[in-house]
Structures are given as C-alpha cells and as structure tokens.
PDB file of all heavy atoms in Angstrom:
ATOM      1  N   TRP A   1    -102.109-113.651 -44.192  1.00  0.00           N
ATOM      2  CA  TRP A   1    -103.032-112.522 -44.187  1.00  0.00           C
ATOM      3  C   TRP A   1    -103.264-111.930 -45.576  1.00  0.00           C
ATOM      4  O   TRP A   1    -104.241-111.202 -45.789  1.00  0.00           O
ATOM      5  CB  TRP A   1    -102.522-111.421 -43.264  1.00  0.00           C
ATOM      6  CG  TRP A   1    -102.756-111.675 -41.805  1.00  0.00           C
ATOM      7  CD1 TRP A   1    -101.830-111.992 -40.856  1.00  0.00           C
ATOM      8  CD2 TRP A   1    -104.012-111.642 -41.106  1.00  0.00           C
ATOM      9  NE1 TRP A   1    -102.421-112.154 -39.623  1.00  0.00           N
ATOM     10  CE2 TRP A   1    -103.764-111.943 -39.750  1.00  0.00           C
ATOM     11  CE3 TRP A   1    -105.322-111.381 -41.513  1.00  0.00           C
ATOM     12  CZ2 TRP A   1    -104.771-111.990 -38.797  1.00  0.00           C
ATOM     13  CZ3 TRP A   1    -106.336-111.428 -40.560  1.00  0.00           C
ATOM     14  CH2 TRP A   1    -106.045-111.730 -39.214  1.00  0.00           C
ATOM     15  N   PHE A   2    -102.383-112.229 -46.531  1.00  0.00           N
ATOM     16  CA  PHE A   2    -102.478-111.603 -47.854  1.00  0.00           C
ATOM     17  C   PHE A   2    -102.448-112.642 -48.973  1.00  0.00           C
ATOM     18  O   PHE A   2    -101.545-112.634 -49.808  1.00  0.00           O
ATOM     19  CB  PHE A   2    -101.337-110.611 -48.047  1.00  0.00           C
ATOM     20  CG  PHE A   2    -101.497-109.337 -47.264  1.00  0.00           C
ATOM     21  CD1 PHE A   2    -101.124-109.280 -45.934  1.00  0.00           C
ATOM     22  CD2 PHE A   2    -102.034-108.203 -47.852  1.00  0.00           C
ATOM     23  CE1 PHE A   2    -101.274-108.110 -45.203  1.00  0.00           C
ATOM     24  CE2 PHE A   2    -102.195-107.031 -47.132  1.00  0.00           C
ATOM     25  CZ  PHE A   2    -101.810-106.972 -45.801  1.00  0.00           C
ATOM     26  N   PRO A   3    -103.419-113.543 -49.034  1.00  0.00           N
ATOM     27  CA  PRO A   3    -103.448-114.494 -50.148  1.00  0.00           C
ATOM     28  C   PRO A   3    -103.656-113.803 -51.490  1.00  0.00           C
ATOM     29  O   PRO A   3    -103.391-114.383 -52.537  1.00  0.00           O
ATOM     30  CB  PRO A   3    -104.618-115.411 -49.800  1.00  0.00           C
ATOM     31  CG  PRO A   3    -105.480-114.608 -48.890  1.00  0.00           C
ATOM     32  CD  PRO A   3    -104.546-113.753 -48.100  1.00  0.00           C
ATOM     33  N   ASP A   4    -104.120-112.545 -51.450  1.00  0.00           N
ATOM     34  CA  ASP A   4    -104.340-111.784 -52.679  1.00  0.00           C
ATOM     35  C   ASP A   4    -103.120-110.959 -53.087  1.00  0.00           C
ATOM     36  O   ASP A   4    -103.046-110.478 -54.223  1.00  0.00           O
ATOM     37  CB  ASP A   4    -105.551-110.861 -52.517  1.00  0.00           C
ATOM     38  CG  ASP A   4    -105.479-110.009 -51.255  1.00  0.00           C
ATOM     39  OD1 ASP A   4    -104.777-110.412 -50.294  1.00  0.00           O
ATOM     40  OD2 ASP A   4    -106.124-108.945 -51.222  1.00  0.00           O
ATOM     41  N   ARG A   5    -102.159-110.778 -52.186  1.00  0.00           N
ATOM     42  CA  ARG A   5    -100.973-109.967 -52.489  1.00  0.00           C
ATOM     43  C   ARG A   5     -99.724-110.617 -51.893  1.00  0.00           C
ATOM     44  O   ARG A   5     -98.907-109.963 -51.242  1.00  0.00           O
ATOM     45  CB  ARG A   5    -101.130-108.547 -51.945  1.00  0.00           C
ATOM     46  CG  ARG A   5    -102.260-107.763 -52.596  1.00  0.00           C
ATOM     47  CD  ARG A   5    -102.317-106.336 -52.100  1.00  0.00           C
ATOM     48  NE  ARG A   5    -103.371-105.578 -52.747  1.00  0.00           N
ATOM     49  CZ  ARG A   5    -103.642-104.288 -52.479  1.00  0.00           C
ATOM     50  NH1 ARG A   5    -102.919-103.648 -51.584  1.00  0.00           N
ATOM     51  NH2 ARG A   5    -104.620-103.671 -53.116  1.00  0.00           N
ATOM     52  N   ARG A   6     -99.574-111.885 -52.132  1.00  0.00           N
ATOM     53  CA  ARG A   6     -98.462-112.610 -51.532  1.00  0.00           C
ATOM     54  C   ARG A   6     -97.106-112.070 -51.984  1.00  0.00           C
ATOM     55  O   ARG A   6     -96.184-111.925 -51.189  1.00  0.00           O
ATOM     56  CB  ARG A   6     -98.577-114.097 -51.869  1.00  0.00           C
ATOM     57  CG  ARG A   6     -99.676-114.821 -51.126  1.00  0.00           C
ATOM     58  CD  ARG A   6     -99.643-116.317 -51.413  1.00  0.00           C
ATOM     59  NE  ARG A   6    -100.606-117.015 -50.585  1.00  0.00           N
ATOM     60  CZ  ARG A   6    -101.606-117.756 -51.057  1.00  0.00           C
ATOM     61  NH1 ARG A   6    -101.766-117.877 -52.364  1.00  0.00           N
ATOM     62  NH2 ARG A   6    -102.432-118.369 -50.257  1.00  0.00           N
ATOM     63  N   GLY A   7     -96.962-111.830 -53.281  1.00  0.00           N
ATOM     64  CA  GLY A   7     -95.674-111.389 -53.795  1.00  0.00           C
ATOM     65  C   GLY A   7     -95.238-110.064 -53.208  1.00  0.00           C
ATOM     66  O   GLY A   7     -94.090-109.901 -52.793  1.00  0.00           O
ATOM     67  N   LEU A   8     -96.141-109.100 -53.155  1.00  0.00           N
ATOM     68  CA  LEU A   8     -95.811-107.780 -52.631  1.00  0.00           C
ATOM     69  C   LEU A   8     -95.460-107.842 -51.151  1.00  0.00           C
ATOM     70  O   LEU A   8     -94.449-107.269 -50.712  1.00  0.00           O
ATOM     71  CB  LEU A   8     -96.990-106.828 -52.852  1.00  0.00           C
ATOM     72  CG  LEU A   8     -96.855-105.434 -52.229  1.00  0.00           C
ATOM     73  CD1 LEU A   8     -95.696-104.671 -52.864  1.00  0.00           C
ATOM     74  CD2 LEU A   8     -98.158-104.649 -52.374  1.00  0.00           C
ATOM     75  N   THR A   9     -96.280-108.522 -50.355  1.00  0.00           N
ATOM     76  CA  THR A   9     -96.087-108.494 -48.909  1.00  0.00           C
ATOM     77  C   THR A   9     -94.889-109.337 -48.454  1.00  0.00           C
ATOM     78  O   THR A   9     -94.181-108.949 -47.521  1.00  0.00           O
ATOM     79  CB  THR A   9     -97.365-108.954 -48.186  1.00  0.00           C
ATOM     80  OG1 THR A   9     -97.806-110.205 -48.736  1.00  0.00           O
ATOM     81  CG2 THR A   9     -98.473-107.923 -48.350  1.00  0.00           C
ATOM     82  N   THR A  10     -94.647-110.477 -49.099  1.00  0.00           N
ATOM     83  CA  THR A  10     -93.418-111.202 -48.770  1.00  0.00           C
ATOM     84  C   THR A  10     -92.206-110.408 -49.237  1.00  0.00           C
ATOM     85  O   THR A  10     -91.139-110.456 -48.609  1.00  0.00           O
ATOM     86  CB  THR A  10     -93.392-112.600 -49.411  1.00  0.00           C
ATOM     87  OG1 THR A  10     -93.582-112.495 -50.827  1.00  0.00           O
ATOM     88  CG2 THR A  10     -94.460-113.491 -48.822  1.00  0.00           C
ATOM     89  N   GLY A  11     -92.356-109.649 -50.318  1.00  0.00           N
ATOM     90  CA  GLY A  11     -91.279-108.781 -50.769  1.00  0.00           C
ATOM     91  C   GLY A  11     -90.933-107.714 -49.749  1.00  0.00           C
ATOM     92  O   GLY A  11     -89.761-107.394 -49.527  1.00  0.00           O
ATOM     93  N   ILE A  12     -91.952-107.157 -49.102  1.00  0.00           N
ATOM     94  CA  ILE A  12     -91.707-106.141 -48.071  1.00  0.00           C
ATOM     95  C   ILE A  12     -90.931-106.741 -46.903  1.00  0.00           C
ATOM     96  O   ILE A  12     -89.969-106.144 -46.402  1.00  0.00           O
ATOM     97  CB  ILE A  12     -93.050-105.546 -47.582  1.00  0.00           C
ATOM     98  CG1 ILE A  12     -93.691-104.703 -48.698  1.00  0.00           C
ATOM     99  CG2 ILE A  12     -92.850-104.703 -46.327  1.00  0.00           C
ATOM    100  CD1 ILE A  12     -95.100-104.241 -48.382  1.00  0.00           C
ATOM    101  N   GLY A  13     -91.336-107.924 -46.472  1.00  0.00           N
ATOM    102  CA  GLY A  13     -90.645-108.556 -45.351  1.00  0.00           C
ATOM    103  C   GLY A  13     -89.209-108.903 -45.669  1.00  0.00           C
ATOM    104  O   GLY A  13     -88.294-108.622 -44.876  1.00  0.00           O
ATOM    105  N   THR A  14     -88.971-109.506 -46.833  1.00  0.00           N
ATOM    106  CA  THR A  14     -87.605-109.888 -47.180  1.00  0.00           C
ATOM    107  C   THR A  14     -86.752-108.672 -47.525  1.00  0.00           C
ATOM    108  O   THR A  14     -85.535-108.691 -47.340  1.00  0.00           O
ATOM    109  CB  THR A  14     -87.593-110.884 -48.351  1.00  0.00           C
ATOM    110  OG1 THR A  14     -88.311-110.337 -49.465  1.00  0.00           O
ATOM    111  CG2 THR A  14     -88.238-112.203 -47.938  1.00  0.00           C
ATOM    112  N   MET A  15     -87.371-107.597 -48.034  1.00  0.00           N
ATOM    113  CA  MET A  15     -86.629-106.364 -48.250  1.00  0.00           C
ATOM    114  C   MET A  15     -86.126-105.806 -46.914  1.00  0.00           C
ATOM    115  O   MET A  15     -84.987-105.333 -46.817  1.00  0.00           O
ATOM    116  CB  MET A  15     -87.498-105.313 -48.931  1.00  0.00           C
ATOM    117  CG  MET A  15     -86.766-103.984 -49.163  1.00  0.00           C
ATOM    118  SD  MET A  15     -87.836-102.618 -49.689  1.00  0.00           S
ATOM    119  CE  MET A  15     -88.760-102.314 -48.177  1.00  0.00           C
ATOM    120  N   ALA A  16     -86.979-105.863 -45.891  1.00  0.00           N
ATOM    121  CA  ALA A  16     -86.576-105.368 -44.575  1.00  0.00           C
ATOM    122  C   ALA A  16     -85.385-106.153 -44.043  1.00  0.00           C
ATOM    123  O   ALA A  16     -84.475-105.594 -43.422  1.00  0.00           O
ATOM    124  CB  ALA A  16     -87.746-105.453 -43.597  1.00  0.00           C
ATOM    125  N   PHE A  17     -85.368-107.472 -44.318  1.00  0.00           N
ATOM    126  CA  PHE A  17     -84.245-108.291 -43.864  1.00  0.00           C
ATOM    127  C   PHE A  17     -82.972-107.937 -44.623  1.00  0.00           C
ATOM    128  O   PHE A  17     -81.881-107.920 -44.055  1.00  0.00           O
ATOM    129  CB  PHE A  17     -84.579-109.763 -44.068  1.00  0.00           C
ATOM    130  CG  PHE A  17     -83.535-110.711 -43.527  1.00  0.00           C
ATOM    131  CD1 PHE A  17     -83.322-110.817 -42.159  1.00  0.00           C
ATOM    132  CD2 PHE A  17     -82.775-111.496 -44.371  1.00  0.00           C
ATOM    133  CE1 PHE A  17     -82.360-111.684 -41.646  1.00  0.00           C
ATOM    134  CE2 PHE A  17     -81.812-112.368 -43.881  1.00  0.00           C
ATOM    135  CZ  PHE A  17     -81.607-112.457 -42.511  1.00  0.00           C
ATOM    136  N   ALA A  18     -83.104-107.625 -45.915  1.00  0.00           N
ATOM    137  CA  ALA A  18     -81.935-107.306 -46.729  1.00  0.00           C
ATOM    138  C   ALA A  18     -81.426-105.901 -46.467  1.00  0.00           C
ATOM    139  O   ALA A  18     -80.213-105.667 -46.413  1.00  0.00           O
ATOM    140  CB  ALA A  18     -82.280-107.466 -48.213  1.00  0.00           C
ATOM    141  N   ALA A  19     -82.357-104.946 -46.317  1.00  0.00           N
ATOM    142  CA  ALA A  19     -81.957-103.540 -46.216  1.00  0.00           C
ATOM    143  C   ALA A  19     -81.923-103.004 -44.793  1.00  0.00           C
ATOM    144  O   ALA A  19     -81.387-101.922 -44.554  1.00  0.00           O
ATOM    145  CB  ALA A  19     -82.914-102.691 -47.059  1.00  0.00           C
ATOM    146  N   GLY A  20     -82.491-103.739 -43.839  1.00  0.00           N
ATOM    147  CA  GLY A  20     -82.558-103.230 -42.473  1.00  0.00           C
ATOM    148  C   GLY A  20     -81.211-102.972 -41.846  1.00  0.00           C
ATOM    149  O   GLY A  20     -81.052-102.086 -40.997  1.00  0.00           O
ATOM    150  N   SER A  21     -80.212-103.723 -42.282  1.00  0.00           N
ATOM    151  CA  SER A  21     -78.877-103.560 -41.710  1.00  0.00           C
ATOM    152  C   SER A  21     -78.268-102.206 -42.033  1.00  0.00           C
ATOM    153  O   SER A  21     -77.302-101.783 -41.382  1.00  0.00           O
ATOM    154  CB  SER A  21     -77.944-104.659 -42.228  1.00  0.00           C
ATOM    155  OG  SER A  21     -77.886-104.634 -43.645  1.00  0.00           O
ATOM    156  N   ALA A  22     -78.824-101.492 -43.041  1.00  0.00           N
ATOM    157  CA  ALA A  22     -78.278-100.175 -43.393  1.00  0.00           C
ATOM    158  C   ALA A  22     -78.362 -99.209 -42.223  1.00  0.00           C
ATOM    159  O   ALA A  22     -77.534 -98.283 -42.107  1.00  0.00           O
ATOM    160  CB  ALA A  22     -79.031 -99.609 -44.596  1.00  0.00           C
ATOM    161  N   ALA A  23     -79.330 -99.407 -41.337  1.00  0.00           N
ATOM    162  CA  ALA A  23     -79.445 -98.547 -40.163  1.00  0.00           C
ATOM    163  C   ALA A  23     -78.440 -98.904 -39.087  1.00  0.00           C
ATOM    164  O   ALA A  23     -78.105 -98.069 -38.228  1.00  0.00           O
ATOM    165  CB  ALA A  23     -80.864 -98.640 -39.596  1.00  0.00           C
ATOM    166  N   PHE A  24     -77.931-100.145 -39.108  1.00  0.00           N
ATOM    167  CA  PHE A  24     -76.989-100.592 -38.088  1.00  0.00           C
ATOM    168  C   PHE A  24     -75.526-100.376 -38.489  1.00  0.00           C
ATOM    169  O   PHE A  24     -74.676-100.110 -37.631  1.00  0.00           O
ATOM    170  CB  PHE A  24     -77.189-102.088 -37.804  1.00  0.00           C
ATOM    171  CG  PHE A  24     -78.450-102.418 -37.065  1.00  0.00           C
ATOM    172  CD1 PHE A  24     -79.602-102.761 -37.741  1.00  0.00           C
ATOM    173  CD2 PHE A  24     -78.487-102.393 -35.672  1.00  0.00           C
ATOM    174  CE1 PHE A  24     -80.766-103.088 -37.066  1.00  0.00           C
ATOM    175  CE2 PHE A  24     -79.639-102.709 -34.981  1.00  0.00           C
ATOM    176  CZ  PHE A  24     -80.787-103.057 -35.686  1.00  0.00           C
ATOM    177  N   ILE A  25     -75.238-100.536 -39.781  1.00  0.00           N
ATOM    178  CA  ILE A  25     -73.839-100.562 -40.218  1.00  0.00           C
ATOM    179  C   ILE A  25     -73.064 -99.310 -39.838  1.00  0.00           C
ATOM    180  O   ILE A  25     -71.935 -99.410 -39.319  1.00  0.00           O
ATOM    181  CB  ILE A  25     -73.766-100.834 -41.737  1.00  0.00           C
ATOM    182  CG1 ILE A  25     -74.170-102.286 -42.020  1.00  0.00           C
ATOM    183  CG2 ILE A  25     -72.363-100.569 -42.274  1.00  0.00           C
ATOM    184  CD1 ILE A  25     -74.264-102.631 -43.490  1.00  0.00           C
ATOM    185  N   PRO A  26     -73.574 -98.074 -40.064  1.00  0.00           N
ATOM    186  CA  PRO A  26     -72.790 -96.893 -39.670  1.00  0.00           C
ATOM    187  C   PRO A  26     -72.462 -96.868 -38.174  1.00  0.00           C
ATOM    188  O   PRO A  26     -71.344 -96.525 -37.785  1.00  0.00           O
ATOM    189  CB  PRO A  26     -73.696 -95.724 -40.064  1.00  0.00           C
ATOM    190  CG  PRO A  26     -74.580 -96.272 -41.137  1.00  0.00           C
ATOM    191  CD  PRO A  26     -74.821 -97.695 -40.751  1.00  0.00           C
ATOM    192  N   TYR A  27     -73.439 -97.228 -37.347  1.00  0.00           N
ATOM    193  CA  TYR A  27     -73.210 -97.253 -35.899  1.00  0.00           C
ATOM    194  C   TYR A  27     -72.162 -98.294 -35.525  1.00  0.00           C
ATOM    195  O   TYR A  27     -71.248 -98.023 -34.727  1.00  0.00           O
ATOM    196  CB  TYR A  27     -74.529 -97.554 -35.184  1.00  0.00           C
ATOM    197  CG  TYR A  27     -74.377 -97.898 -33.718  1.00  0.00           C
ATOM    198  CD1 TYR A  27     -73.982 -96.928 -32.797  1.00  0.00           C
ATOM    199  CD2 TYR A  27     -74.625 -99.190 -33.261  1.00  0.00           C
ATOM    200  CE1 TYR A  27     -73.834 -97.240 -31.452  1.00  0.00           C
ATOM    201  CE2 TYR A  27     -74.489 -99.512 -31.923  1.00  0.00           C
ATOM    202  CZ  TYR A  27     -74.086 -98.538 -31.017  1.00  0.00           C
ATOM    203  OH  TYR A  27     -73.940 -98.853 -29.699  1.00  0.00           O
ATOM    204  N   VAL A  28     -72.260 -99.469 -36.129  1.00  0.00           N
ATOM    205  CA  VAL A  28     -71.324-100.544 -35.802  1.00  0.00           C
ATOM    206  C   VAL A  28     -69.914-100.182 -36.251  1.00  0.00           C
ATOM    207  O   VAL A  28     -68.943-100.312 -35.489  1.00  0.00           O
ATOM    208  CB  VAL A  28     -71.777-101.864 -36.455  1.00  0.00           C
ATOM    209  CG1 VAL A  28     -70.711-102.946 -36.283  1.00  0.00           C
ATOM    210  CG2 VAL A  28     -73.088-102.333 -35.844  1.00  0.00           C
ATOM    211  N   ARG A  29     -69.765 -99.689 -37.473  1.00  0.00           N
ATOM    212  CA  ARG A  29     -68.439 -99.395 -37.995  1.00  0.00           C
ATOM    213  C   ARG A  29     -67.782 -98.235 -37.259  1.00  0.00           C
ATOM    214  O   ARG A  29     -66.558 -98.166 -37.144  1.00  0.00           O
ATOM    215  CB  ARG A  29     -68.514 -99.105 -39.495  1.00  0.00           C
ATOM    216  CG  ARG A  29     -68.915-100.324 -40.323  1.00  0.00           C
ATOM    217  CD  ARG A  29     -68.751-100.073 -41.808  1.00  0.00           C
ATOM    218  NE  ARG A  29     -67.352 -99.907 -42.176  1.00  0.00           N
ATOM    219  CZ  ARG A  29     -66.519-100.907 -42.424  1.00  0.00           C
ATOM    220  NH1 ARG A  29     -66.942-102.163 -42.313  1.00  0.00           N
ATOM    221  NH2 ARG A  29     -65.279-100.664 -42.773  1.00  0.00           N
ATOM    222  N   ALA A  30     -68.586 -97.327 -36.723  1.00  0.00           N
ATOM    223  CA  ALA A  30     -68.024 -96.187 -36.007  1.00  0.00           C
ATOM    224  C   ALA A  30     -67.640 -96.523 -34.578  1.00  0.00           C
ATOM    225  O   ALA A  30     -66.777 -95.864 -33.987  1.00  0.00           O
ATOM    226  CB  ALA A  30     -69.034 -95.031 -36.007  1.00  0.00           C
ATOM    227  N   ASN A  31     -68.237 -97.561 -34.006  1.00  0.00           N
ATOM    228  CA  ASN A  31     -68.050 -97.823 -32.578  1.00  0.00           C
ATOM    229  C   ASN A  31     -67.510 -99.204 -32.240  1.00  0.00           C
ATOM    230  O   ASN A  31     -67.113 -99.427 -31.088  1.00  0.00           O
ATOM    231  CB  ASN A  31     -69.389 -97.644 -31.855  1.00  0.00           C
ATOM    232  CG  ASN A  31     -69.920 -96.235 -31.936  1.00  0.00           C
ATOM    233  OD1 ASN A  31     -69.472 -95.339 -31.224  1.00  0.00           O
ATOM    234  ND2 ASN A  31     -70.878 -96.010 -32.836  1.00  0.00           N
ATOM    235  N   ALA A  32     -67.489-100.119 -33.215  1.00  0.00           N
ATOM    236  CA  ALA A  32     -67.047-101.486 -32.916  1.00  0.00           C
ATOM    237  C   ALA A  32     -65.529-101.575 -32.945  1.00  0.00           C
ATOM    238  O   ALA A  32     -64.941-102.236 -33.794  1.00  0.00           O
ATOM    239  CB  ALA A  32     -67.667-102.468 -33.901  1.00  0.00           C
ATOM    240  N   THR A  33     -64.895-100.878 -31.991  1.00  0.00           N
ATOM    241  CA  THR A  33     -63.445-100.962 -31.840  1.00  0.00           C
ATOM    242  C   THR A  33     -63.110-102.097 -30.880  1.00  0.00           C
ATOM    243  O   THR A  33     -63.999-102.691 -30.265  1.00  0.00           O
ATOM    244  CB  THR A  33     -62.903 -99.643 -31.291  1.00  0.00           C
ATOM    245  OG1 THR A  33     -63.499 -99.403 -29.998  1.00  0.00           O
ATOM    246  CG2 THR A  33     -63.249 -98.483 -32.216  1.00  0.00           C
ATOM    247  N   VAL A  34     -61.824-102.383 -30.749  1.00  0.00           N
ATOM    248  CA  VAL A  34     -61.422-103.465 -29.847  1.00  0.00           C
ATOM    249  C   VAL A  34     -61.910-103.198 -28.425  1.00  0.00           C
ATOM    250  O   VAL A  34     -62.362-104.091 -27.709  1.00  0.00           O
ATOM    251  CB  VAL A  34     -59.890-103.643 -29.875  1.00  0.00           C
ATOM    252  CG1 VAL A  34     -59.455-104.664 -28.830  1.00  0.00           C
ATOM    253  CG2 VAL A  34     -59.437-104.059 -31.260  1.00  0.00           C
ATOM    254  N   GLY A  35     -61.848-101.959 -28.003  1.00  0.00           N
ATOM    255  CA  GLY A  35     -62.276-101.649 -26.649  1.00  0.00           C
ATOM    256  C   GLY A  35     -63.761-101.378 -26.517  1.00  0.00           C
ATOM    257  O   GLY A  35     -64.302-101.437 -25.408  1.00  0.00           O
ATOM    258  N   GLY A  36     -64.437-101.066 -27.618  1.00  0.00           N
ATOM    259  CA  GLY A  36     -65.824-100.636 -27.523  1.00  0.00           C
ATOM    260  C   GLY A  36     -66.850-101.561 -28.134  1.00  0.00           C
ATOM    261  O   GLY A  36     -68.054-101.289 -28.041  1.00  0.00           O
ATOM    262  N   TYR A  37     -66.424-102.661 -28.743  1.00  0.00           N
ATOM    263  CA  TYR A  37     -67.401-103.501 -29.444  1.00  0.00           C
ATOM    264  C   TYR A  37     -68.397-104.163 -28.502  1.00  0.00           C
ATOM    265  O   TYR A  37     -69.540-104.439 -28.877  1.00  0.00           O
ATOM    266  CB  TYR A  37     -66.688-104.571 -30.283  1.00  0.00           C
ATOM    267  CG  TYR A  37     -66.251-105.776 -29.500  1.00  0.00           C
ATOM    268  CD1 TYR A  37     -67.072-106.880 -29.357  1.00  0.00           C
ATOM    269  CD2 TYR A  37     -65.012-105.806 -28.871  1.00  0.00           C
ATOM    270  CE1 TYR A  37     -66.681-107.986 -28.623  1.00  0.00           C
ATOM    271  CE2 TYR A  37     -64.611-106.899 -28.140  1.00  0.00           C
ATOM    272  CZ  TYR A  37     -65.444-107.986 -28.016  1.00  0.00           C
ATOM    273  OH  TYR A  37     -65.053-109.065 -27.274  1.00  0.00           O
ATOM    274  N   SER A  38     -67.973-104.421 -27.246  1.00  0.00           N
ATOM    275  CA  SER A  38     -68.895-105.078 -26.318  1.00  0.00           C
ATOM    276  C   SER A  38     -70.104-104.193 -26.020  1.00  0.00           C
ATOM    277  O   SER A  38     -71.224-104.692 -25.876  1.00  0.00           O
ATOM    278  CB  SER A  38     -68.180-105.455 -25.013  1.00  0.00           C
ATOM    279  OG  SER A  38     -67.659-104.304 -24.386  1.00  0.00           O
ATOM    280  N   ASP A  39     -69.888-102.865 -25.934  1.00  0.00           N
ATOM    281  CA  ASP A  39     -71.025-101.950 -25.737  1.00  0.00           C
ATOM    282  C   ASP A  39     -71.955-101.985 -26.950  1.00  0.00           C
ATOM    283  O   ASP A  39     -73.179-101.933 -26.810  1.00  0.00           O
ATOM    284  CB  ASP A  39     -70.532-100.519 -25.514  1.00  0.00           C
ATOM    285  CG  ASP A  39     -69.833-100.348 -24.175  1.00  0.00           C
ATOM    286  OD1 ASP A  39     -70.125-101.143 -23.258  1.00  0.00           O
ATOM    287  OD2 ASP A  39     -69.013 -99.429 -24.051  1.00  0.00           O
ATOM    288  N   VAL A  40     -71.374-102.068 -28.156  1.00  0.00           N
ATOM    289  CA  VAL A  40     -72.172-102.138 -29.380  1.00  0.00           C
ATOM    290  C   VAL A  40     -73.037-103.396 -29.370  1.00  0.00           C
ATOM    291  O   VAL A  40     -74.239-103.347 -29.653  1.00  0.00           O
ATOM    292  CB  VAL A  40     -71.257-102.126 -30.623  1.00  0.00           C
ATOM    293  CG1 VAL A  40     -72.050-102.421 -31.886  1.00  0.00           C
ATOM    294  CG2 VAL A  40     -70.544-100.784 -30.737  1.00  0.00           C
ATOM    295  N   LEU A  41     -72.420-104.536 -29.050  1.00  0.00           N
ATOM    296  CA  LEU A  41     -73.162-105.799 -29.018  1.00  0.00           C
ATOM    297  C   LEU A  41     -74.265-105.764 -27.968  1.00  0.00           C
ATOM    298  O   LEU A  41     -75.380-106.242 -28.204  1.00  0.00           O
ATOM    299  CB  LEU A  41     -72.208-106.955 -28.740  1.00  0.00           C
ATOM    300  CG  LEU A  41     -71.185-107.272 -29.837  1.00  0.00           C
ATOM    301  CD1 LEU A  41     -70.197-108.325 -29.348  1.00  0.00           C
ATOM    302  CD2 LEU A  41     -71.887-107.748 -31.095  1.00  0.00           C
ATOM    303  N   ARG A  42     -73.954-105.214 -26.803  1.00  0.00           N
ATOM    304  CA  ARG A  42     -74.955-105.150 -25.732  1.00  0.00           C
ATOM    305  C   ARG A  42     -76.139-104.269 -26.143  1.00  0.00           C
ATOM    306  O   ARG A  42     -77.304-104.643 -25.949  1.00  0.00           O
ATOM    307  CB  ARG A  42     -74.310-104.609 -24.465  1.00  0.00           C
ATOM    308  CG  ARG A  42     -75.251-104.598 -23.259  1.00  0.00           C
ATOM    309  CD  ARG A  42     -74.485-104.402 -21.955  1.00  0.00           C
ATOM    310  NE  ARG A  42     -73.606-103.243 -22.018  1.00  0.00           N
ATOM    311  CZ  ARG A  42     -72.261-103.328 -22.034  1.00  0.00           C
ATOM    312  NH1 ARG A  42     -71.675-104.519 -21.988  1.00  0.00           N
ATOM    313  NH2 ARG A  42     -71.523-102.240 -22.081  1.00  0.00           N
ATOM    314  N   ASN A  43     -75.866-103.101 -26.733  1.00  0.00           N
ATOM    315  CA  ASN A  43     -76.940-102.197 -27.145  1.00  0.00           C
ATOM    316  C   ASN A  43     -77.787-102.816 -28.254  1.00  0.00           C
ATOM    317  O   ASN A  43     -79.027-102.715 -28.244  1.00  0.00           O
ATOM    318  CB  ASN A  43     -76.352-100.871 -27.622  1.00  0.00           C
ATOM    319  CG  ASN A  43     -75.699-100.086 -26.499  1.00  0.00           C
ATOM    320  OD1 ASN A  43     -75.993-100.320 -25.323  1.00  0.00           O
ATOM    321  ND2 ASN A  43     -74.805 -99.173 -26.840  1.00  0.00           N
ATOM    322  N   MET A  44     -77.131-103.462 -29.203  1.00  0.00           N
ATOM    323  CA  MET A  44     -77.876-104.103 -30.279  1.00  0.00           C
ATOM    324  C   MET A  44     -78.705-105.270 -29.764  1.00  0.00           C
ATOM    325  O   MET A  44     -79.839-105.492 -30.199  1.00  0.00           O
ATOM    326  CB  MET A  44     -76.908-104.565 -31.375  1.00  0.00           C
ATOM    327  CG  MET A  44     -76.279-103.427 -32.147  1.00  0.00           C
ATOM    328  SD  MET A  44     -75.017-103.987 -33.313  1.00  0.00           S
ATOM    329  CE  MET A  44     -75.999-104.997 -34.414  1.00  0.00           C
ATOM    330  N   GLY A  45     -78.137-106.026 -28.835  1.00  0.00           N
ATOM    331  CA  GLY A  45     -78.882-107.138 -28.262  1.00  0.00           C
ATOM    332  C   GLY A  45     -80.151-106.682 -27.564  1.00  0.00           C
ATOM    333  O   GLY A  45     -81.220-107.294 -27.716  1.00  0.00           O
ATOM    334  N   LEU A  46     -80.057-105.596 -26.806  1.00  0.00           N
ATOM    335  CA  LEU A  46     -81.240-105.061 -26.122  1.00  0.00           C
ATOM    336  C   LEU A  46     -82.274-104.575 -27.127  1.00  0.00           C
ATOM    337  O   LEU A  46     -83.481-104.842 -26.980  1.00  0.00           O
ATOM    338  CB  LEU A  46     -80.824-103.917 -25.193  1.00  0.00           C
ATOM    339  CG  LEU A  46     -80.038-104.328 -23.944  1.00  0.00           C
ATOM    340  CD1 LEU A  46     -79.502-103.092 -23.216  1.00  0.00           C
ATOM    341  CD2 LEU A  46     -80.919-105.143 -23.000  1.00  0.00           C
TER     342      LEU A  46
END
C-alpha cells in the first residue's frame, strides 16, 4: 500500500512487534505465578 513510504511504514509495523510487548510484560510479571500463570496464558490467548 505504500510504495512511496516503504521505510516508514515497515518501520511502524516492526516497531509494534518490538515494543508491543511493553504492554504485556507488567501484567505477565505480576500474575504469572506457579498457581496463576494458566489464567495469564488463557487471557492472552483470547
């Protein structure tokens, strides 16, 4: 869709892949205990 702005738009997509986990990490580290990690995995999967 962006033959005129390939570098910028592919940069946005790959940035999301690199930085998107920042929204997940606090939730995972706070709740992924031995007894609670299955709920974390289930919620993330959904």
Side-chain angles (χ1 to χ4, degrees):
W1 282 108
F2 286 83
D4 51 336
R5 296 184 178 179
R6 287 185 174 121
L8 174 64
T9 51
T10 55
I12 291 172
T14 55
M15 179 191 70
F17 185 68
S21 58
F24 289 93
I25 289 174
Y27 168 69
V28 172
R29 293 190 66 84
N31 297 282
T33 61
V34 174
Y37 81 91
S38 60
D39 290 335
V40 171
L41 293 173
R42 184 165 52 249
N43 293 340
M44 291 174 63
L46 289 171

